[in-house]
Amino acid sequence: MLYIKGTQLDPNEDYIPNSGMTSLFVFQLRSFPTLDKYWKRLPESQPYTVHVTTDKRVEELLAERMSQQGVRQVRMQDRWYKLRAEVDAIQKYRESQNATVAGDAKKTEKFRSG
């Protein structure tokens, strides 16, 4: 089935979305003679399985993993390279938090004794 929505607009007026009279037209695709060749064509059967045995499937997965190994190795090297900077940033943050807490404790002690 082919569904077409048509809208009749007045050519003398500016276009306003969702204005005008609309109609829904329905056509059966079998009524178009140009599609007869399409309907007569038999669908090509496609197998649902790519690998016929488990061994072949495992071999394919292993081959894919080995082909991806170079990319994974570069990615892991990049992560390890960035790790040092991230650890340094975390340590600086913790040190600043500890200094702030220690400074606040000194201020509180000074306030209590003063």
Side-chain angles (χ1 to χ4, degrees), residues 7-16 18-22:
T7 304
Q8 180 180 3
L9 300 174
D10 188 357
N12 298 327
E13 294 180 10
D14 292 335
Y15 172 73
I16 300 171
N18 299 324
S19 67
M21 187 174 66
T22 62

Side-chain angles (χ1 to χ4, degrees), residues 12 14 17 27 29 33-35 39 52-54 57 60-61 66 68-69 76 79 82 89 91-92 102 110 112-114:
N12 298 327
D14 292 335
F27 300 96
L29 293 178
T34 55
L35 294 175
W39 294 119
V52 289
T53 65
T54 306
R57 178 66 179 149
E60 287 294 322
L61 289 172
M66 295 304 284
Q68 295 290 327
Q69 183 64 31
M76 290 305 291
R79 285 183 183 171
K82 291 179 181 177
Q91 285 177 341
K92 287 180 183 177
K110 191 181 217 183
R112 287 183 183 169
S113 64

Side-chain angles (χ1 to χ4, degrees):
M1 302 294 280
L2 174 66
Y3 297 90
I4 299 175
K5 180 181 175 183
T7 304
Q8 180 180 3
L9 300 174
D10 188 357
N12 298 327
E13 294 180 10
D14 292 335
Y15 172 73
I16 300 171
N18 299 324
S19 67
M21 187 174 66
T22 62
S23 298
L24 184 65
F25 301 96
V26 181
F27 300 96
Q28 288 188 1
L29 293 178
R30 297 247 181 214
S31 64
F32 293 98
T34 55
L35 294 175
D36 285 343
K37 282 175 48 178
Y38 175 77
W39 294 119
K40 289 179 184 176
R41 188 176 69 192
L42 294 174
E44 297 176 15
S45 62
Q46 296 180 351
Y48 291 109
T49 58
V50 178
H51 307 283
V52 289
T53 65
T54 306
D55 291 336
K56 286 187 178 182
R57 178 66 179 149
V58 169
E59 288 175 17
E60 287 294 322
L61 289 172
L62 187 58
E64 176 68 22
R65 184 172 176 86
M66 295 304 284
S67 70
Q68 295 290 327
Q69 183 64 31
V71 176
R72 284 199 314 272
Q73 185 175 0
V74 170
R75 188 173 60 230
M76 290 305 291
Q77 287 174 345
D78 188 43
R79 285 183 183 171
W80 278 104
Y81 177 75
K82 291 179 181 177
L83 180 65
R84 185 71 221 160
E86 291 176 6
V87 169
D88 288 342
I90 292 170
Q91 285 177 341
K92 287 180 183 177
Y93 175 75
R94 285 185 177 170
E95 289 171 3
S96 69
Q97 290 297 317
N98 289 339
T100 304
V101 170
D104 288 345
K106 286 181 183 178
K107 287 180 187 176
T108 305
E109 186 179 315
K110 191 181 217 183
F111 177 74
R112 287 183 183 169
S113 64

